[in-house]
Amino acid sequence: VYGGYSISIMFIPLFAYIASLTTAYPNLERDVNILFFSKEFIVGRVIALIGLVIFFIAGVQLLKGYIGRGGLVKTGLYSIVRHPQYTGIIIIALGLTVMVQTLSRNSQTVFMWFVQVLGYVFLAWYEEQCLKKKFRGEYQQYRVNVPFMYPIKCPSKIPKIAFTIFLTLIVAFLLLIFPYDITRF
């Protein structure tokens, strides 16, 4: 949506999440082969692949719309959520978390996933401050009609960022209690 900040900032929460995985799991390098090629982790890989597809489609739509028109991108995935690239990255990390949790349950991984999501919520909030200044009323109308980070309509009395964090807490709780043995094939 906004091309005025460095793309590299977008990946800071993801890099922090991945760094936490490598420190929490000293054998992760060995286990990466298992995670990406063993059939018992297919559920996490499918989730991560869905996130990757969302991320790339949103990136193409952003570039196409921003370069083509130079204005606010409100079509494609950007008509479903205001920050589909962040949503895609969050889903990628969710898939990785499911794979790691299937390998060995560890609440630290879920906590780091949650922290990573908070990083993207903060980046999206910052991005929205810039977009409000740049596009004024057009962006305000877009904000009213399109959900923040997840494609779920927020109740009108709850701030959208708080609602996003609440939904993320629910997912994190489910990640902690989920019986991962049923995902193994």
Side-chain angles (χ1 to χ4, degrees), residues 93-105:
L94 177 65
L96 291 172
T97 302
V98 167
M99 286 190 281
V100 171
Q101 289 292 95
T102 303
L103 182 65
S104 67
R105 298 176 74 92

Side-chain angles (χ1 to χ4, degrees), residues 62-71:
L62 176 64
L63 288 173
K64 199 171 166 182
Y66 191 76
I67 292 170
R69 292 181 286 121

Side-chain angles (χ1 to χ4, degrees), residues 4-127:
Y5 74 99
S6 174
I7 291 290
S8 60
I9 292 173
M10 177 178 15
F11 294 105
I12 290 173
L14 182 62
F15 289 144
Y17 169 78
I18 291 173
S20 75
L21 286 181
T22 58
T23 57
Y25 295 97
N27 295 325
L28 188 63
E29 289 179 39
R30 181 202 67 193
D31 294 339
V32 164
N33 193 29
I34 294 168
L35 289 172
F36 288 105
F37 299 107
S38 174
K39 68 179 182 175
E40 67 184 305
F41 301 106
I42 191 76
V43 173
R45 279 197 302 271
V46 167
I47 294 169
L49 183 62
I50 290 168
L52 190 65
V53 168
I54 290 169
F55 174 77
F56 280 121
I57 289 172
V60 167
Q61 291 173 345
L62 176 64
L63 288 173
K64 199 171 166 182
Y66 191 76
I67 292 170
R69 292 181 286 121
L72 185 64
V73 179
K74 301 185 289 187
T75 59
L77 293 177
Y78 288 87
S79 68
I80 299 170
V81 294
R82 296 193 307 262
H83 304 279
Q85 284 186 297
Y86 295 159
T87 303
I89 293 172
I90 290 168
I91 294 170
I92 292 167
L94 177 65
L96 291 172
T97 302
V98 167
M99 286 190 281
V100 171
Q101 289 292 95
T102 303
L103 182 65
S104 67
R105 298 176 74 92
N106 185 336
S107 58
Q108 180 183 354
T109 305
V110 175
F111 176 74
M112 285 310 298
W113 175 81
F114 178 75
V115 169
Q116 177 240 359
V117 174
L118 289 179
Y120 284 112
V121 168
F122 175 74
L123 282 174
W125 173 84
Y126 173 75
E127 196 175 296

Side-chain angles (χ1 to χ4, degrees), residues 117-150:
V117 174
L118 289 179
Y120 284 112
V121 168
F122 175 74
L123 282 174
W125 173 84
Y126 173 75
E127 196 175 296
E128 291 205 347
Q129 302 313 303
C130 298
L131 290 166
K132 279 192 257 183
K133 289 176 186 172
K134 185 173 183 175
F135 295 107
R136 295 182 181 29
E138 181 184 8
Y139 190 73
Q140 195 59 31
Q141 184 62 39
Y142 175 66
R143 284 186 69 204
V144 168
N145 295 325
V146 179
F148 181 64
M149 190 90 63
Y150 302 134

